Amino acid sequence: MKTAKLLTTLLFIFSNLLGQNINTMWLMGNDCCGPNFAGMNLDFSSGSLNITTNQRPMRLNATNGEICDSLGNLLFYSNGIYVANANDDTMMNGSGLNPGSFTNNRFNYGLTIPQANLVIPIPENPNQYYLFHETADDDGNTFASYFLYYSIIDMNLDGGLGGIVQKNTVLLNDTLVAGRITSCKHANGRDWWIVVHQFRTNIMYRFLITPTGILGPWQQNLFTYRDNYFGQAIFSPQGDKFAYYDPFTDLDIYSFDRCSGNFYGQIHIDFNDSAAGGGAAFSSSGRYLYVSSQNYIYQFDMQASNIPASQVTIGVYDGFLSNGFVANFYLAALAPDNKIYITCGNSTTDIHVINFPDSVGASCDFCQHCVSLPAFNAATIPNHPNYFLGADGGTVCDSLPTGLAFIKRATDEFLLFPNPALNDIYITVGRENIEKVSLSNSFGQNIPIECDFKSINYLHFDVSKFENGFYYIEIITKKNKISRKFIKN
């Protein structure tokens, strides 16, 4: 087991040298308001941090999901309001994420919920991705989420810029802690566990993402009641540890079984900081856990015989103002350069860094406001799992759980997008052979239409010359007659 853990640690450290750069571009900032406002790219593809500005229109806040290709080229990103492509334009069918008043009220800012976006490559489906996402549906009251959504993005569409083929699909309808959407590779090295917490209970939900769909949910009692405090939930890079941090009250550390998806061995640590926000990140080896608690940074040693007693304060907020704003401690993330970066709870032009996270105590070299940014950053940091974690060679886990129904993927259904349409519409096609396609307008009049297959998965229609209004497409297969309505604008 020790050999397997060492190998996964080395894989994490050297993955970028092998060309696996899908997490090496971090997007921050926004181009909104004049001087000191711009989009920023924090690029780690060279092995060290390089910061540049980019005048993109999307405003990013605490909700930030993004991914690159294997060469480090940005594919798409989202602030919880919409999805943008590599050209910084709204992706095909990419608007209208997370419907609700909380989303509408933050249209110009981006969602402010930590870890409310998560991008997962669909196993064994090249160029297709799940975007898991939430909003605060109980707006103005508890700010709980009522829905865990997923959307499916296919990068084969729109000339390689991608399109959403299935949007705002409800994966779970329950009262949930907003955000904290977290994921870890299954022990087979292919599939993914994804977890979210029920609101004001001790129940954690988990799902298993497979090449053909999503299994679950399963429930587990994690003993601690959870509310909507602004913290983080994270797996260690090796996937054997999980930390759930509520900065106002407490920290839970669990061991995690990547085969079964079960949490065990709870270590509960109370905090009396009453912090309004904070974050957490593991070092690349998984030995040290760092917790940011607004005015303090703590370190815990996962190898200590008494983990709570290993707590060391490695940073205290020094009162620094960044362009006039308090530069205290908020969200944290382990970067591809193996440093941990920590944002501030305000829009600031500085963030913090732990230079040597795998060193004990003060030797970890926590440096306050030592990363100077060319523009304001509104607490933004991406929500990346360890995409490079391989199979756990120390387990007998070469089969997947069965017995629960799959949540079907988009290509198993006849889904029409975008809707409303301007020039083109697409329909996802599954396994049934299409015998006839016909179209009619709102008066029931048949209209000639030509269609073609953009790929084996998508039927394409050119509607650019149609008059504005409602239209109906009827698809006849050997087994079914399917009708879909769309609006031409």
Side-chain angles (χ1 to χ4, degrees):
M1 288 295 290
K2 290 183 178 179
T3 300
K5 185 172 181 179
L6 175 61
L7 289 174
T8 53
T9 300
L10 292 174
L11 177 61
F12 180 80
I13 294 173
F14 295 112
S15 59
N16 291 321
L17 299 178
L18 299 175
Q20 298 181 5
N21 292 298
I22 61 177
N23 66 338
T24 55
M25 182 70 75
W26 289 15
L27 306 186
M28 292 183 169
N30 56 80
D31 180 23
C32 71
C33 315
N36 294 324
F37 285 89
M40 291 174 284
N41 295 340
L42 278 64
D43 188 350
F44 296 93
S45 59
S46 67
S48 59
L49 175 59
N50 179 43
I51 304 175
T52 58
T53 58
N54 178 20
Q55 302 302 317
R56 56 175 167 265
M58 179 183 287
R59 298 182 67 176
L60 289 162
N61 210 295
T63 301
N64 183 349
E66 58 194 51
I67 200 160
C68 299
D69 64 18
S70 61
L71 299 177
N73 300 308
L74 181 66
L75 293 177
F76 62 87
Y77 56 100
S78 175
N79 61 356
I81 309 292
Y82 70 100
V83 179
N85 60 29
N87 288 344
D88 301 313
D89 296 323
T90 301
M91 178 177 277
M92 176 190 294
N93 200 30
S95 60
L97 289 184
N98 297 309
S101 62
F102 186 87
T103 302
N104 294 339
N105 291 337
R106 285 150 184 83
F107 183 83
N108 293 324
Y109 305 99
L111 295 189
T112 54
I113 308 168
Q115 295 179 283
N117 270 353
L118 178 67
V119 180
I120 298 294
I122 299 179
E124 296 184 359
N125 287 268
N127 299 318
Q128 291 189 331
Y129 300 85
Y130 284 116
L131 174 64
F132 296 93
H133 49 98
E134 289 179 337
T135 189
D137 297 290
D138 192 17
D139 188 15
N141 295 301
T142 66
F143 295 100
S145 293
Y146 294 153
F147 305 101
L148 172 62
Y149 297 103
Y150 72 88
S151 297
I152 295 178
I153 295 170
D154 192 328
M155 294 306 301
N156 295 304
L157 294 172
D158 198 18
L161 291 173
I164 295 185
V165 299
Q166 188 168 334
K167 183 168 60 179
N168 293 332
T169 301
V170 176
L171 181 60
L172 181 62
N173 182 0
D174 200 343
T175 306
L176 306 169
V177 173
R180 317 282 182 95
I181 307 173
T182 320
S183 190
C184 178
K185 277 280 187 75
H186 186 277
N188 63 19
R190 181 197 68 184
D191 302 336
W192 290 89
W193 295 107
I194 182 169
V195 299
V196 293
H197 207 289
Q198 196 174 50
F199 181 63
R200 290 183 176 170
T201 76
N202 52 22
I203 298 299
M204 180 73 86
Y205 284 107
R206 71 182 184 276
F207 296 85
L208 184 63
I209 305 166
T210 75
T212 53
I214 305 174
L215 287 168
W218 292 269
Q219 297 183 29
Q220 186 177 353
N221 179 347
L222 294 192
F223 307 109
T224 304
Y225 171 103
R226 290 297 171 198
D227 212 316
N228 261 337
Y229 301 118
F230 287 92
Q232 283 181 278
I234 55 166
F235 287 95
S236 65
Q238 294 72 28
D240 59 343
K241 297 291 184 183
F242 175 78
Y244 196 108
Y245 174 49
D246 273 341
F248 194 76
T249 54
D250 57 20
L251 166 70
D252 275 334
I253 302 169
Y254 302 88
S255 295
F256 182 67
D257 185 338
R258 291 172 57 202
C259 276
S260 66
N262 285 320
F263 300 90
Y264 62 97
Q266 180 196 31
I267 298 172
H268 184 81
I269 302 170
D270 288 318
F271 281 94
N272 297 314
D273 292 350
S274 298
F282 283 96
S283 64
S284 60
S285 72
R287 173 162 184 176
Y288 295 106
L289 171 65
Y290 293 87
V291 169
S292 53
S293 183
Q294 191 167 339
N295 293 319
Y296 303 94
I297 305 290
Y298 304 117
Q299 181 193 73
F300 296 89
D301 186 352
M302 298 297 101
Q303 294 182 12
S305 58
N306 185 333
I307 290 177
S310 74
Q311 178 178 338
V312 177
T313 301
I314 58 106
V316 179
Y317 173 53
D318 62 5
F320 179 78
L321 300 181
S322 177
N323 256 309
F325 293 95
V326 172
N328 54 8
F329 314 135
Y330 191 27
L331 303 178
L334 177 64
D337 63 359
N338 299 312
K339 299 180 181 182
I340 291 175
Y341 294 86
I342 301 170
T343 66
C344 305
N346 294 294
S347 292
T348 63
T349 55
D350 299 272
I351 58 175
H352 318 287
V353 62
I354 302 172
N355 287 303
F356 305 107
D358 272 313
S359 298
V360 64
S363 62
C364 73
D365 190 24
F366 169 63
C367 193
Q368 296 193 51
H369 46 83
C370 285
V371 180
S372 181
L373 303 175
F376 282 111
N377 179 57
T380 306
I381 208 159
N383 183 25
H384 286 307
N386 183 3
Y387 293 111
F388 315 117
L389 183 57
D392 189 346
T395 62
V396 182
C397 195
D398 56 1
S399 62
L400 301 177
T402 58
L404 292 179
F406 281 104
I407 297 169
K408 292 185 178 180
R409 289 184 9 83
T411 50
D412 295 325
E413 304 175 0
F414 291 88
L415 301 175
L416 183 151
F417 66 96
N419 190 9
L422 183 61
N423 296 313
D424 303 278
I425 60 171
Y426 298 81
I427 294 179
T428 60
V429 293
R431 299 168 185 170
E432 298 186 54
N433 293 325
I434 296 175
E435 295 185 344
K436 182 180 178 181
V437 178
S438 59
L439 181 136
S440 61
N441 59 21
S442 58
F443 300 103
Q445 299 168 323
N446 289 328
I447 299 174
I449 188 170
E450 293 184 359
C451 61
D452 61 275
F453 283 92
K454 284 294 186 183
S455 73
I456 61 172
N457 294 324
Y458 305 106
L459 197 62
H460 167 254
F461 301 84
D462 182 352
V463 297
S464 58
K465 297 181 181 179
F466 285 21
E467 295 182 0
N468 292 349
F470 288 91
Y471 293 86
Y472 300 86
I473 290 179
E474 185 177 82
I475 299 172
I476 298 176
T477 72
K478 289 184 177 181
K479 298 180 180 180
N480 294 298
K481 180 186 292 186
I482 300 101
S483 179
R484 295 290 182 262
K485 182 176 73 172
F486 71 93
I487 302 172
K488 168 63 171 69
N489 281 344

